Amino acid sequence: MAAPHLSVSRRTRMTPFSRRVEAAGVKAYTVYNHMLLPTVFQTVEDDYRHLKSNVQLWDVSCERQVELTGPDAGRLAQMLTPRDLSVMNPGQCYYTPMVDETGGMLNDPVTLKLAEDRYWISVADSDLLFWIKGLAFALRLEVDVDEPDVHPLAIQGPKAEDLVARVFGERIRSIRYFGYDTVEFEGKRMVLARSGYSKQGGFELYVEGWQRGEPVWDTFMREGADLNVRAGCPNLIERIEGQLLSYGNDMTRNNTPHECGLGRFCQTREAIGCIGRDALLRVAVEGPVRQIRSIAIDGDPVPPCTDLWPIFAGGRQVGTVSSAAYSPDYRTNVAIGMVRMTHWDNGTRVQVDTPHGIRAATVWDKPFTQQDRN
Ligand code: THG
């Protein structure tokens, strides 16, 4: 039976790159922040191999920006996250867990500080704009909150730095991980950050102005022709290997940042004004009782994880798997799950109840990419 198609309409917003993405032969989309996000070009496995050895252009326009502008922008930003923003400077990007008053995850964006009174929050798939606008209005803050005409284009893969240097000059090689600089394209200054949703290295260009999308895309494609540049997209296998989390899949409002393994991005004591501060200070005392882990699931390739798969040990449920894919490089199914502390130690053997039956599995205490095995 043929797979169902996605009906597109105004609600499933197109992007400035959509025509190029379709011309490149996109095979599947998901919807992310009410916008089209490509998920497959050739096959997930072909895309994966190409990403790990070449360079790809990703239309990640769906990483929408929430712009905060005004004297209270910094204060509002700190209300959203337990990460200490008092030490953040313009030129920096921070991965920022964002929480509600219970310490529950609302989003896990990348926050860019553009100026003392100006921030971009590059959001994952939840309507964070409404939460932020509600706060700004209810607290009568002096800040404008809106979605600007900005559309991230990611350049990812081992040859990404060479390609970006061809387009914007050698200077870009000195941009540090999670730092940004500005570059000029046809007279327009744009933010270029060393970041992106892969572990293969690369950059994200925050394309400003819808009409510049296609010229930017065409420039990278032309300059990268001999580097074997291709249209690509965040790759399910690669992101699971690297334990890059997906909001709505691997965590929800029912999880604290500590459960998500994002404790290293929380300085809750210093984050004065954070809405979830009291709740997180309380849970930080005890520590989480379940946490995100990488999990290797034995046997043949498993189907995509569209629902939580229970993890069992000794006849009791000890966790859930939220993302899974077969990894050609690790020659096993790689997965991300939430595991109770009784079974979260490295090497713990468990069973996963997959749609293809019960499978033996092993809990890893680090991303696959940080293991020394292959
Ligand atoms: N880039 C930008 N915006 C984004 C994403 C992005 N918005 C949506 C989504 N991705 C947000 N989620 C993440 C998840 C992981 C990372 C970035 C955004 C990430 N994590 C690194 C890791 O886990 O290894 C750690 C980052 C760090 O050390 O600071 O990169 O990708 N613009």
Side-chain angles (χ1 to χ4, degrees):
M1 199 174 75
H5 286 250
L6 179 70
S7 299
V8 299
S9 71
R10 188 173 180 218
R11 287 187 302 97
T12 56
R13 298 183 284 180
M14 308 279 268
T15 86
F17 313 107
S18 288
R19 290 199 302 196
R20 294 295 186 265
V21 160
E22 307 224 332
V26 64
K27 292 234 173 63
Y29 285 116
T30 187
V31 176
Y32 191 101
N33 285 324
H34 315 277
M35 196 174 233
L36 295 175
L37 169 62
T39 55
V40 185
F41 281 87
Q42 318 256 314
T43 66
V44 176
E45 282 201 15
D46 288 347
D47 293 353
Y48 162 87
R49 291 200 186 288
H50 182 266
L51 169 63
K52 284 187 150 187
S53 46
N54 294 279
V55 51
Q56 297 182 343
L57 284 193
W58 293 2
D59 174 4
V60 284
S61 300
C62 68
E63 295 170 353
R64 302 311 297 162
Q65 307 308 300
V66 178
E67 180 174 278
L68 315 181
T69 323
D72 285 331
R75 187 177 152 213
L76 178 55
Q78 186 65 85
M79 292 176 73
L80 305 172
T81 180
R83 187 148 181 190
D84 180 11
L85 302 184
S86 72
V87 295
M88 188 180 195
N89 293 308
Q92 291 186 310
C93 311
Y94 276 8
Y95 184 35
T96 41
M98 296 206 163
V99 299
D100 66 13
E101 75 286 358
T102 72
M105 292 286 295
L106 294 179
N107 204 292
D108 67 330
V110 175
T111 297
L112 291 77
K113 182 169 181 173
L114 302 170
E116 284 309 319
D117 62 351
R118 190 157 171 252
Y119 293 78
W120 279 345
I121 301 172
S122 185
V123 297
D125 188 23
S126 79
D127 293 307
L128 203 67
L129 179 73
F130 297 160
W131 164 253
I132 301 175
K133 282 184 79 74
L135 290 171
F137 173 74
L139 298 172
R140 287 160 172 64
L141 300 181
E142 259 191 88
V143 61
D144 282 328
V145 181
D146 213 336
E147 186 181 284
D149 183 14
V150 170
H151 317 277
L153 179 70
I155 307 98
Q156 300 286 304
K159 298 180 186 166
E161 185 172 314
D162 287 341
L163 175 54
V164 176
R166 283 189 195 177
V167 174
F168 292 117
E170 293 298 311
R171 188 174 57 91
I172 64 89
R173 295 189 192 273
S174 59
I175 298 175
R176 290 205 300 238
Y177 185 57
F178 270 67
Y180 73 81
D181 203 344
T182 56
V183 291
E184 228 173 84
F185 184 85
E186 292 177 353
K188 174 73 186 171
R189 295 201 79 69
M190 296 183 190
V191 169
L192 175 72
R194 194 187 286 270
S195 57
Y197 199 65
S198 89
K199 287 294 193 182
Q200 304 309 309
F203 293 81
E204 291 179 298
L205 179 66
Y206 291 75
V207 177
E208 264 188 90
W210 182 282
Q211 76 288 357
R212 295 194 183 90
E214 292 184 355
V216 167
W217 179 280
D218 294 342
T219 301
F220 278 104
M221 281 299 181
R222 190 178 352 100
E223 296 292 323
D226 64 307
L227 296 175
N228 194 19
V229 64
R230 275 197 206 161
C233 51
N235 183 274
L236 180 70
I237 310 168
E238 198 272 347
R239 76 107 182 149
I240 294 174
E241 289 177 356
Q243 208 183 86
L244 292 170
L245 302 183
S246 168
Y247 186 79
N249 284 322
D250 304 316
M251 73 266 201
T252 69
R253 225 169 59 218
N254 292 319
N255 302 117
T256 66
H258 303 283
E259 289 176 342
C260 302
L262 301 179
R264 65 188 188 281
F265 302 109
C266 302
Q267 300 83 29
T268 309
R269 184 68 61 188
E270 285 71 40
I272 310 290
C274 168
I275 288 168
R277 187 165 176 268
D278 289 351
L280 288 180
L281 285 175
R282 257 182 277 125
V283 304
V285 172
E286 311 250 325
V289 296
R290 55 180 181 176
Q291 199 169 48
I292 286 280
R293 285 292 181 270
S294 286
I295 297 161
I297 304 176
D298 297 353
D300 294 340
V302 293
C305 191
T306 55
D307 223 333
L308 295 174
W309 297 343
I311 304 175
F312 292 100
R316 280 218 171 76
Q317 188 173 349
V318 299
T320 50
V321 163
S322 49
S323 299
Y326 183 78
S327 161
D329 283 356
Y330 290 89
R331 280 183 252 104
T332 183
N333 295 289
V334 293
I336 295 174
M338 194 69 79
V339 183
R340 287 176 56 156
M341 67 189 298
T342 50
H343 291 77
W344 72 22
D345 286 347
N346 194 45
T348 305
R349 294 286 283 168
V350 293
Q351 286 102 43
V352 178
D353 190 359
T354 79
H356 288 185
I358 301 269
R359 295 285 186 85
T362 310
V363 176
W364 296 108
D365 67 355
K366 286 198 221 51
F368 291 93
T369 49
Q370 289 177 31
Q371 312 284 341
D372 317 312
R373 51 200 289 287
N374 204 334

